[in-house]
Amino acid sequence: MDEFLKKKSVITFLTILFVVTCCSGVQKAEARIRRYKWEVKYELKSPDCYKKLTITINGRSPGPSIVAREGDTIVVELKNSLFTENVAIHWHGIRQIDTPWMDGTEGVTQCPILPADTFVYKFVVDRPGTYLYHAHYGMQREAGLYGSIRVLLNEGESEPFQYDYDRSIILNDWYHKSTHELSLGLSSIPFAWVNEPQSILIHGRGKFNCNTVGTTTNLCNTSNPECAPYAITVVPGKTYRLRIGSLTALSALSFEIEGHNMTVVEADGHNVDPFVVKNLFIYSGETYSVLVTADQDPSRNYWASAKVVSRNSSTPNGLAIFNYYPNHPRRDPPTVPPPGPHWDDVAPRLAQSYAIRARPGYIHPPPLKSDRTIVMLNTQNEVGGYRRWSVNNVSFNLPHTPYLIAYKHNLLHAFDQRQPPDGYDFVRYNISAPPPNPNATISNATYRLEFNTTIDVVLQNANTMNVNNSETHPWHLHGHDFWVLGYGVGKFDVGKDSEEFNLVDPIMKNTVAVHPFGWTALRFRANNPGVWAFHCHIESHFFMGMGVVFEEGVERVGELPSSIMGCGDTKGFYTP
Amino acid sequence: MDEFLKKKSVITFLTILFVVTCCSGVQKAEARIRRYKWEVKYELKSPDCYKKLTITINGRSPGPSIVAREGDTIVVELKNSLFTENVAIHWHGIRQIDTPWMDGTEGVTQCPILPADTFVYKFVVDRPGTYLYHAHYGMQREAGLYGSIRVLLNEGESEPFQYDYDRSIILNDWYHKSTHELSLGLSSIPFAWVNEPQSILIHGRGKFNCNTVGTTTNLCNTSNPECAPYAITVVPGKTYRLRIGSLTALSALSFEIEGHNMTVVEADGHNVDPFVVKNLFIYSGETYSVLVTADQDPSRNYWASAKVVSRNSSTPNGLAIFNYYPNHPRRDPPTVPPPGPHWDDVAPRLAQSYAIRARPGYIHPPPLKSDRTIVMLNTQNEVGGYRRWSVNNVSFNLPHTPYLIAYKHNLLHAFDQRQPPDGYDFVRYNISAPPPNPNATISNATYRLEFNTTIDVVLQNANTMNVNNSETHPWHLHGHDFWVLGYGVGKFDVGKDSEEFNLVDPIMKNTVAVHPFGWTALRFRANNPGVWAFHCHIESHFFMGMGVVFEEGVERVGELPSSIMGCGDTKGFYTP
């Protein structure tokens, strides 16, 4: 090689090195590997001014955001530094195509990660959009273990809407009691309900009234900077894409920014035919992108507010500051925060649900017919004195050996091999009254779906154990998106109501609300080999049995990694 | 068979049946299997009137007592009903001959037991005496998971001392913060010490001053019957064997019964040459049997009191009622409870240590020479900014794969194969000053002991990180009893001090105290195939690295059960 070529190749090498190392945040057309090193541990945090043992990632709650491009591979090296507690993290909205063992659902797709262990999650984010991650083990999510995932379009591609800046905001509700104590109450006789949360957090910050705590303790400190309100700083005239996700343990929320309209453009990773709202209703497990233009008087700040709806909650609204630059981000707006909609005004929530349609030109068309319809009656029950939630009178619990491993390795004894029912007594069951016989079966049985078939699920809400009461349940499906074919009030009529399904422009989502005394119909293709949870995203409801599991094409699943094992029937040696 | 013989055999059969079923509590010469079904779960308990999430067994803390006869097999079917936490239970003082995998020491002899799992502990109690059980995972012991084991002599055999009744009493100290929060403080920078406990519990009951808690909470209630003082009810004139065990997290205690002498007759399962005390000094992990005769004025009750010694603690004395029948067990004695000895009066504590000798005729004679002497310098250290405890400058931590499994299956990569040092710089190290270089190595290395050899261990105390301060450390050895050969003040001199060892009537124990600035010498035979922890029994000290591990004759260990696996390199399938 002559000197010139040598030099040239050195320069080329250095240039490549520069691009790879210095500019790795910048666009690149090819899929990349994005590596994260996370340590999960307890920290004493005061997100709402009240000091609480919080599960953090690298010292933070919410944890670090994952930002990637479509097709990238995410590698999270997760060290569990809890002392005696296991952990598992679910990548909410990521379908885990070809990697069903990376779904992070304890008992379904993996054994829990033991203290001091490091588990490597590795999966592809195959689709742009706004997603979440959170603990999927016991009720650890509500201890603070959650964060956001933002998957951008490939370089050169563009969204069908315009904005200047992109921001992620997670909403949450916050309890002062430990998850251990809350879990204990839910699984005790007499039943002790978790009750309403103490605070609503906007991106990990809220404000608890410290006066209600005894002054002898130093547990609560209103001037702690950790609970200074979150500031969404905006430049006057600019348009912001706010990616709003909710990971509440319990609460349905209405989010608004005082004096500003929001245009909804994305839901759970899919483009929405844009519509304008003043309040965005958001249920646990959902994500929305809204566009907000900083078009108001720039000499002041504005309140951003999150209010509990669908429950008669005494929890004060969560408040953040919509901060017009260069005003000080801590300067309170001169106004009283907006009170938000009335908690039991269902109409606007239904209206929003109906309004969410796929953006023309971005529709993934649904199959026109389904191969199987499963109607799932959601009831509150009492089994052996324990308060539970059930689907078609089956209250879910997890087996010792995760389903994915049990199915793949034919460990038939690991769980009940009978399938739960595809419906309930449509004729006689009265959804408007408490269950006449609140008894249910507690079972770990699963639904086996024929691979590549089309499945309709109709979630049928009903009255709880209390008269004239029906709750809102956001149901989340792992491993898939589904088309939202329709909503209705009252009892779903298989013959009639399915004729009215929206097959024209249904949105695709991974989480959808079932409104009080109503039904929600969804359709999906059972085309992702694996075992997938489908459950109410209210932490305590799933804990109390409100979920099911689907198996599809498990024979097509590749070899399972030994790292997901160690529980149930999987205690033994492996040869790496 | 003629009618008469038939009848006779039926009667014989019925007689046997009667004896076996009705009188199974009564003496039987053959060893029996004693089965226990335990559920480990959280409960809200108020042992000192302050409500705290407590780890219970079958709803109780202390857990159920195990009462058995020498040679019996104990089977404990343990269900872990914690929500996201693992557990492991150690049978303290039981040598686990032929069953080293049942020692219950997480990371040493087993993987932790996962939530919802049932683990079956099965072992023989081969020797009469007073023992304990407790969690051996993280700092769960101090969350309430502990109890007592009483092993009686075989039928027909008798103790060399007389008593009318036999009672077990466990002493403990109690913290209001969760073990998670305390563990966090110990493993944080800056270091947050656990500080002194809030209460001393006598058999699970203490009394916290609720006035110090804000009245707005209902966390503390002095009239809660759960915190009524424990009553030791006695019949006037009778003699009681009180089996007193300490499972404090931190505190050394002095126990006394107002106006009554106590005759010490047993220590850690071995008969003591009797001596009389007014105060019994007891360190965490120790058990003593004392004889007390109810020989005082029977018209009143007396205080039993447990006071913190060896630390300048503000924790109030724990109080119970020594209740003369038929006085009401809740009637307070008319006197002020005895204040107990001064915390820093070391002389009487040393005197008691010296006084504990084997009862003549019950001596297991020690080998006259040892094959190996390991001197263990106990120092407080600071490693990478973390506060630690070390032995010969090595601060202990646990590997991912338990040692017993790693050794047995030759998984050499599972831990550091180099052995830690057998001594320290005897000449230059000044035990009376803080370590000049407080740095230490954090390691999971172990000591390998040649099988069937005699090992001397000299525990050498030293100054902590604070000037003029040296603490008391009760060291506990798993899998063995050891002879206590001597105690001394100052630096142990291998040549000179070992000449003075008591080889005539040393007591055997499994736990022994090392006094401030002093040394304690012990000897044992490495004749129990297995891997055994040896550590300071102060919960936070072991957590901070104050322990070592011995391996001996692991090649003689039988096949390990799959139930102990599931962590580290043992995630895979087993075929039952």
Side-chain angles (χ1 to χ4, degrees), chain A residues 426-505:
Chain A
F426 302 119
V427 177
R428 274 175 298 184
Y429 193 88
N430 178 5
I431 66 156
S432 310
N437 169 14
N439 213 7
T441 305
I442 293 186
S443 167
N444 56 24
T446 63
Y447 291 93
R448 303 200 70 161
L449 309 180
E450 203 176 323
F451 189 66
N452 252 334
T453 58
T454 300
I455 307 297
D456 279 2
V457 172
V458 181
L459 294 158
Q460 175 67 61
N461 214 335
N463 202 101
T464 65
M465 299 279 287
N466 308 314
V467 285
N468 289 326
N469 179 250
S470 181
E471 301 191 0
T472 302
H473 303 287
W475 278 78
H476 170 62
L477 179 58
H478 293 221
H480 303 80
D481 296 323
F482 49 72
W483 292 272
V484 182
L485 300 189
Y487 299 88
V489 178
K491 201 190 279 188
F492 177 80
D493 182 323
V494 182
K496 211 177 67 202
D497 288 325
S498 49
E499 297 290 309
E500 311 285 315
F501 282 165
N502 172 18
L503 303 175
V504 179
D505 59 356

Side-chain angles (χ1 to χ4, degrees), chain A residues 232-249:
Chain A
I232 308 161
T233 300
V234 295
V235 174
K238 297 291 182 187
T239 295
Y240 289 80
R241 176 181 188 168
L242 302 183
R243 297 169 183 263
I244 301 168
S246 170
L247 283 172
T248 52

Side-chain angles (χ1 to χ4, degrees), chain B residues 132-170:
Chain B
L132 302 163
Y133 67 80
H134 58 79
H136 213 299
Y137 185 50
M139 305 219 302
Q140 284 181 338
R141 187 180 91 215
E142 71 179 40
L145 191 46
Y146 65 95
S148 69
I149 302 174
R150 185 194 303 181
V151 183
L152 306 171
L153 286 171
N154 268 324
E155 199 190 1
E157 297 177 10
S158 60
E159 307 280 8
F161 42 85
Q162 302 291 320
Y163 53 91
D164 301 298
Y165 298 102
D166 198 346
R167 295 276 174 78
S168 295
I169 298 172
I170 304 191

Side-chain angles (χ1 to χ4, degrees), chain B residues 296-310:
Chain B
Q296 299 299 305
D297 173 5
S299 70
R300 53 162 286 198
N301 291 336
Y302 298 82
W303 293 110
S305 167
K307 181 200 195 307
V308 176
V309 292
S310 98

